[in-house]
Amino acid sequence: MFFETACLITVSAPLASAILVGFFGKKVGKNFTNFLAIGGVVISTILSFYLVYELVFNDRPDFNKNLYTWIASGEFQFQIGFLIDRLTVVMMTVVTFVSCMVHIYTIGYMKDDPGYHRFFSYISLFTFSMLILVMSNNFLQLFFGWEAVGLVSYLLIGFWFKKPSATHANLKAFLVNRVGDFGFLLGICGIFLVFGTLDYYSIFSNIDELSKAKLPGIPLLEIDPVTIICILMFVGAMGKSAQIPLHVWLPDSMEGPTPISALIHAATMVTAGIFMVARMSPVYELSSIALLFIVVIGSLTAFFMGILGLVQNDIKRVVAYSTLSQLGYMTVALGVSAYSAAIFHLVTHAFFKALLFLAAGSVIIAAHHQQNMDKMGGLKKYMPITYWTSLIGTLALRGFPGFSGFFSKEMIIEAVHFSDSMYSNLIYYFLLAGVFITSLYSFRMFFLVFHGESRMSQANLSHIHESSAVVTLPLILLAIPSMFLGGLIVNEFLFNNFFQDSIYNDSERDPLIRLGAVFHGPLAMISHSIFTSAFWCAAAGVFVAWYCYLRNPSIPSSMAQRLAIFYYVLKNNYGFDKFNSTVFAGGSVRLGKLLWSKFDILIIDKSLVNGSAKIVNVFSFFIRKVQTGYLYDYAIAMIFGLIIFLIAFVYL
């Protein structure tokens, strides 16, 4: 009974905080607002760890229960319920813990903002929406949480709504995600057409029927309907998890305050697509075409989005493009059926990426809200805590042996290497190139911000100091799992059947089975790392960053001049934004003008409205002639009418 109550409180506490802070925050003051907002997410975090303890250490069976019926239509019922299994509790723990750190960090970052209470209300509501998404036991509830996350992200990205760039960014995020969500909704409709239910267990327990199913109304379709459903669902994941070509919204979301950048990019919104595909693993294992589509999209995202991080000057945008690249790695893992490896990297990435974003925010605070790395430098001696925690986050992102990111990223690369999926060898080299690029842009950022000569004005430099304790405390708490968590859980997550029935793998396709045969523990993995290609690719990236940005800083500018065309392409995001604005946005405007000028004016106004008026006017002109007022005219008309009636009656 307490287990069920704990589930309800976990998801309800952030919602209660959001409502109370939103309506009464200004009246009760900042201190009580902090208590309400942080108290709600702390309760959720503690109870999430309790649920982990019950399922993992006490071997409690999975909890799947419908709480109430939302909509009933004939025999079909839309129900609200929870599915609490090992996959769910892992996501809940990550979401609540990172959210808790962001809430604490917000006290220092947003202390002087006039929208202080509103921001706390939004991020608490964001946490609630994500918990609804991961705890759902049916696709309808999943979609509700999915859309709620998108809605609140719109509010948070455009939090500073008086800035035109912020309003443009949140509208862009909203519209791009609607494209993905349309495909996601079609996929859910396809599942309902086949099964007549949206309940996870009902679908997964009858998964063999899906392999033989045909979509109603499409009898001649040659493509397997499972493939159609999987690809449509993944289109939704492409929007939420920012995969090419639906990635364009994520870098622009940096217009929001830094705490929400950390929350969106680390553990919540962008990981929703990864979680959804892992949850649907029994369905995806039926379609090799869908898995191939996923792995291609993921590899392209991992490689090409990483390159964009090399030409960014905004510190938050560099971290944002690193998120895109790492999401590509997770997607590749999904595509080669290494779902556990994808979730493993999701977990480790959540901590070190939140750390990097919050460290970037600490730098921005100290630099008087300056975000251009070209105007920083030499901050190591002024901000020691931010420096060392940033170094830990950078090493974890780079995949330095022993750090959390090393274990998760290395396992994805090796899973691809051991995979027998199509093009796995080519994708393997794409990922190795991505390792080099990741090291290069991450240490480029680190060196430009903390090392070398200061490029700040003397007036600003004199006011530089370490951030307050409410800012540095989350950095320290996030640095700990960024260092140690990966080595502690790698064996359990990947090779010890941690997820049990939460994730399904076809044993013939699963590369982790073959990888497990050569895995001898985290220490052996660390000692062996020097002999791997990934290690030397990462080391090469660090060396190039050191040489180009510390040893000989004139090289980057000269390279940009020599390769001006390529630099222009990269600075303009490969032309995606231009293409979207010209073809989709501009095309929609032109289509609207065409429909207005040709259809609305010519057909609606002139033909239907004005034309019908003219017809009525002409008709009424002749009708008026019949109304003479003379009795004999009406009698003659009646006689003619009677004659016509008789003729029709006799002959027809």
Side-chain angles (χ1 to χ4, degrees):
M1 182 65 183
F2 180 74
F3 188 90
E4 182 177 343
T5 304
C7 295
L8 288 170
I9 296 175
T10 302
V11 71
S12 302
L15 177 62
S17 298
I19 295 172
L20 292 173
V21 171
F23 282 102
F24 307 108
K26 288 187 176 181
K27 297 179 181 179
V28 299
K30 285 187 177 181
N31 290 333
F32 200 66
T33 293
N34 298 339
F35 174 77
L36 289 174
I38 297 175
V41 74
V42 166
I43 291 172
S44 294
T45 305
I46 294 172
L47 291 176
S48 295
F49 279 103
Y50 163 75
L51 297 177
V52 171
Y53 175 79
E54 284 293 315
L55 265 74
V56 177
F57 297 99
N58 281 351
D59 291 325
R60 186 186 181 94
D62 297 345
F63 176 81
N64 182 34
K65 186 175 181 180
N66 293 316
L67 301 181
Y68 68 94
T69 301
W70 183 23
I71 300 173
S73 178
E75 297 181 356
F76 181 76
Q77 294 181 336
F78 292 104
Q79 293 178 321
I80 302 297
F82 294 144
L83 170 59
I84 309 298
D85 58 9
R86 293 195 173 196
L87 177 60
T88 302
V89 295
V90 167
M91 290 296 299
M92 290 173 65
T93 305
V94 172
V95 168
T96 54
F97 181 80
V98 173
S99 181
C100 184
M101 296 298 101
V102 170
H103 275 69
I104 296 171
Y105 181 91
T106 298
I107 297 174
Y109 192 89
M110 301 290 290
K111 62 181 180 179
D112 298 323
D113 196 284
Y116 184 87
H117 308 88
R118 178 165 55 92
F119 188 81
F120 264 116
S121 179
Y122 286 173
I123 59 176
S124 295
L125 187 60
F126 195 93
T127 305
F128 161 76
S129 302
M130 193 64 192
L131 288 173
I132 283 289
L133 190 156
V134 301
M135 295 172 67
S136 61
N137 68 348
N138 62 84
F139 284 104
L140 183 65
Q141 187 176 334
L142 172 70
F143 187 73
F144 175 81
W146 192 275
E147 292 301 306
V149 166
L151 174 61
V152 185
S153 69
Y154 170 83
L155 299 174
L156 284 165
I157 295 170
F159 181 79
W160 290 320
F161 53 84
K162 293 184 179 180
K163 292 172 58 180
S165 58
T167 56
H168 177 268
N170 72 347
L171 184 60
K172 186 177 183 179
F174 188 81
L175 292 176
V176 173
N177 273 277
R178 296 294 72 73
V179 175
D181 294 350
F182 181 66
F184 187 54
L185 184 59
L186 290 177
I188 293 175
C189 292
I191 287 178
F192 182 71
L193 285 173
V194 172
F195 284 97
T197 181
L198 296 176
D199 182 74
Y200 291 161
Y201 268 22
S202 300
I203 295 169
F204 298 156
S205 59
N206 297 291
I207 200 66
D208 292 336
E209 296 181 11
L210 185 59
S211 60
K212 306 172 185 177
K214 298 295 180 184
L215 288 175
I218 321 179
L220 300 178
L221 194 65
E222 296 182 0
I223 302 177
D224 185 6
V226 177
T227 299
I228 299 174
I229 291 172
C230 289
I231 291 177
L232 287 173
M233 299 284 281
F234 183 69
V235 169
M238 289 170 63
K240 277 289 184 289
S241 297
Q243 300 294 292
I244 287 178
L246 301 182
H247 68 283
V248 293
W249 68 271
L250 195 61
D252 287 353
S253 68
M254 297 299 98
E255 292 294 335
T258 298
I260 195 53
S261 299
L263 200 55
I264 289 178
H265 287 239
T268 53
M269 185 173 174
V270 295
T271 61
I274 308 299
F275 165 78
M276 184 272 294
V277 176
R279 173 63 76 197
M280 288 188 62
S281 57
V283 180
Y284 276 93
E285 286 295 282
L286 297 176
S287 176
S288 56
I289 296 176
L291 291 175
L292 178 62
F293 177 74
I294 291 173
V295 79
V296 170
I297 293 294
S299 60
L300 293 176
T301 304
F303 179 74
F304 288 104
M305 293 300 103
I307 294 177
L308 294 181
L310 297 173
V311 298
Q312 305 300 318
N313 296 321
D314 188 310
I315 185 173
K316 287 175 63 176
R317 282 186 171 262
V318 176
V319 185
Y321 279 108
S322 77
T323 299
L324 287 170
S325 181
Q326 299 309 303
L327 287 168
Y329 278 86
M330 300 177 206
T331 304
V332 167
L334 297 172
V336 297
S337 298
Y339 304 99
S340 300
I343 299 299
F344 181 35
H345 194 47
L346 184 156
V347 172
T348 61
H349 173 264
F351 295 111
F352 67 71
K353 186 52 56 71
L355 172 60
L356 286 172
F357 266 114
L358 298 187
S362 178
V363 171
I364 292 169
I365 295 172
H368 304 282
H369 295 278
Q370 174 62 256
Q371 296 183 199
N372 191 340
M373 297 186 299
D374 292 335
K375 298 180 180 180
M376 298 180 183
L379 297 183
K380 175 184 177 181
K381 60 182 178 181
Y382 301 100
M383 307 179 71
I385 298 176
T386 302
Y387 171 80
W388 287 108
T389 52
S390 294
L391 179 60
I392 292 171
T394 304
L395 289 173
L397 173 62
R398 175 256 189 214
F400 189 83
F403 286 71
S404 290
F406 161 75
F407 293 100
S408 56
K409 186 184 288 187
E410 186 74 19
M411 283 303 177
I412 290 176
I413 295 171
E414 291 303 317
V416 173
H417 188 58
F418 278 82
S419 173
D420 56 3
S421 69
M422 193 178 298
Y423 308 120
S424 59
N425 289 333
L426 177 62
I427 292 167
Y428 174 73
Y429 291 110
F430 258 85
L431 297 186
L432 287 179
V435 170
F436 169 79
I437 294 167
T438 299
S439 291
L440 179 55
Y441 69 65
S442 60
F443 273 91
R444 167 183 177 264
M445 177 183 67
F446 185 75
F447 291 147
L448 286 177
V449 173
F450 293 105
H451 288 271
E453 297 295 325
S454 176
R455 297 174 297 279
M456 304 179 67
S457 65
Q458 195 60 39
N460 287 340
L461 193 61
S462 61
H463 293 91
I464 293 290
H465 58 84
E466 185 61 89
S467 301
S468 61
V470 291
V471 173
T472 56
L473 178 62
L475 299 182
I476 296 170
L477 293 177
L478 287 167
I480 296 171
S482 298
M483 291 181 66
F484 304 113
L485 183 64
L488 294 175
I489 65 174
V490 57
N491 185 62
E492 191 71 21
F493 262 44
L494 301 187
F495 308 115
N496 206 20
N497 194 28
F498 175 84
F499 292 105
Q500 297 179 345
D501 296 331
S502 303
I503 293 176
Y504 172 78
N505 290 89
D506 186 345
S507 57
E508 296 183 359
R509 184 184 285 137
D510 187 4
L512 295 179
I513 295 177
R514 295 184 287 276
L515 182 57
V518 298
F519 179 77
H520 302 292
L523 294 178
M525 187 175 173
I526 294 172
S527 61
H528 182 71
S529 63
I530 194 172
F531 302 105
T532 63
S533 302
F535 175 86
W536 292 108
C537 287
V542 176
F543 174 79
V544 172
W546 170 81
Y547 187 80
C548 292
Y549 294 98
L550 291 182
R551 183 74 175 178
N552 196 348
S554 63
I555 291 179
S557 57
S558 64
M559 290 288 291
Q561 293 176 357
R562 293 179 182 179
L563 304 173
I565 296 176
F566 296 100
Y567 184 78
Y568 176 81
V569 171
L570 295 177
K571 288 292 288 185
N572 288 275
N573 189 19
Y574 301 112
F576 278 106
D577 289 322
K578 184 69 174 177
F579 179 83
N580 290 335
S581 62
T582 303
V583 176
F584 292 112
S588 299
V589 171
R590 289 190 293 271
L591 179 62
K593 289 182 178 179
L594 179 66
L595 292 175
W596 169 73
S597 62
K598 303 299 183 183
F599 185 79
D600 191 54
I601 293 179
L602 293 181
I603 298 177
I604 302 297
D605 290 345
K606 291 186 177 181
S607 298
L608 296 180
V609 178
N610 297 336
S612 60
K614 290 179 180 179
I615 293 172
V616 170
N617 189 40
V618 172
F619 185 72
S620 63
F621 175 78
F622 290 103
I623 293 297
R624 285 198 303 269
K625 300 297 183 181
V626 179
Q627 303 295 328
T628 62
Y630 295 109
L631 185 60
Y632 56 80
D633 286 340
Y634 299 147
I636 293 173
M638 291 175 63
I639 292 171
F640 276 111
L642 182 60
I643 293 171
I644 294 172
F645 177 76
L646 291 173
I647 293 172
F649 181 78
V650 173
Y651 291 100
L652 298 179

